[in-house]
Amino acid sequence: MKHTLARSATRALFNSAARHQHGGGACGSLFWRRMSTLPEVKDHQSEEKKSEVNRNDSSNNTVVPSYWGITRPKVRREDGTEWPWNCFSPWDSYRADVSIDVTKHHLPKTVTDKVAFRAVKFLRVLSDLYFKERYGCHAMMLETIAAVPGMVGGMLLHLKSLRKFQHSGGWIKALLEEAENERMHLMTMTELVKPSWHERLLVITAQGVFFNFFFVFYLLSPKAAHRFVGYLEEEAVISYTDHLNAIERGEVENVPAPAIAIDYWRLPKDATLKDVVTVIRADEAHHRDVNHFASDIHHQGKELKEAPAPVGYH
Ligand SMILES: [Fe+2]
Ligand SMILES: [Fe+2]
C-alpha cells in the first residue's frame, strides 16, 4: 500500500515535470488545461488528448453510458444557463460576508495559546523567506496546507461519533465544510498560478508531514489544534490583505476573476482578482472565528458537540 502510494506520487510528479518540459509555458500541461476555466489555448495536442479533455468536460456528462443508470440531472443557474461544474453545485455557492472584521485577533493567554501563536509566527517567517513578494504563489501553497485541518478534525470527530454511538452536534459537517471551502480556494488559485515541478514536490512533502503531524496533534489536544488553526487563519487574513494592497498599488495585475470563482462566490461577471481575494480573505476570517471558538469550547472543559456547530458559517 505504502509502495503504491509512493509510486503514484512519484509518477504524478515526474509526469508533471515531463509535461512542464514539453507542454510549453509554465506548467502549461494538459493537466492544467483540463482544470482550467480560462479560454483554452489552441495548440498541437493530439486527438487522443482532445478526447480525454472531452470526457472530463463537465457539460458533457453523458459521454460515458452508465450501466448503473447514473446520470446527473441537468442543473441550471438562476438565469437559466446550464451549470458547467461537476465539482460543486449551485446550492454549494454563496455570497461571502465581506463585512466580517478582518482585524480581530485572539490574545494568547494560556501556555497552549502562546505556544500555538509562536509556532505559527515562526512558520510565517519561514514562508515569507521562501515566497517573498510572490503573493499568488504564496496563497496557492498556503491553501494546500489550509485544507488539511478541517478534513482531519472532521474525520476524527466522525470516528469518535461511531465509536461512542453519539451525535457530533454538527461539528463534523462544519469542519468538512471548512476543508471543502479551502479546497475551492486552491482550485481558484490554480487558475491563476501554475506550480513548478519543485513546488509540486514541496507540496507532496509538506502534505505528508503536515497531515500526519496534525492527525497526532488533534488526537492529543483538539484544544491546542484548533487554537493553532485559528492563528494560521489569522496569518492567512494578513497574507490576503498584503495581496490586496499589492493589487491596489498596481504591483499585481488585477486580472479577470476565473469562471469557477464567479460561480462559487456568485460574483458579478466582470469580477476581478481583487474581488476574489476579498471574498477569500472573508472566508479565512470566518475559519479563524470557527477554530478559536472550537478551542474556547475545549478551554471551558466542554466537548464541541455541547455548543452549536457553525454549519454554513462563511
Ligand atoms: Fe483558504
Ligand atoms: Fe482558511
Side-chain angles (χ1 to χ4, degrees), residues 192 243-258 267 270-278:
L192 301 160
H243 199 160
L244 278 176
N245 292 338
I247 295 169
E248 273 163 17
R249 288 194 301 268
E251 292 166 16
V252 172
E253 192 186 347
N254 193 18
V255 294
L267 295 171
D270 59 350
T272 62
L273 175 63
K274 190 178 166 190
D275 301 309
V276 173
V277 175
T278 303

Side-chain angles (χ1 to χ4, degrees), residues 139 142-143 146-147 181-183 185-186 233 236 240 280 283-284 287:
L142 188 89
E143 297 298 356
N181 184 241
E182 294 285 17
R183 202 178 59 81
H185 292 175
L186 178 64
E233 300 291 352
Y240 281 115
I280 293 180
D283 286 350
E284 308 297 11
H287 303 158

Side-chain angles (χ1 to χ4, degrees), residues 3-19 200-201 204:
H3 289 122
T4 313
L5 282 174
R7 258 202 315 274
S8 320
T10 313
R11 203 180 304 132
L13 180 68
F14 283 99
N15 282 347
S16 141
R19 283 194 296 263
R200 284 166 177 271
L201 180 62
I204 292 169

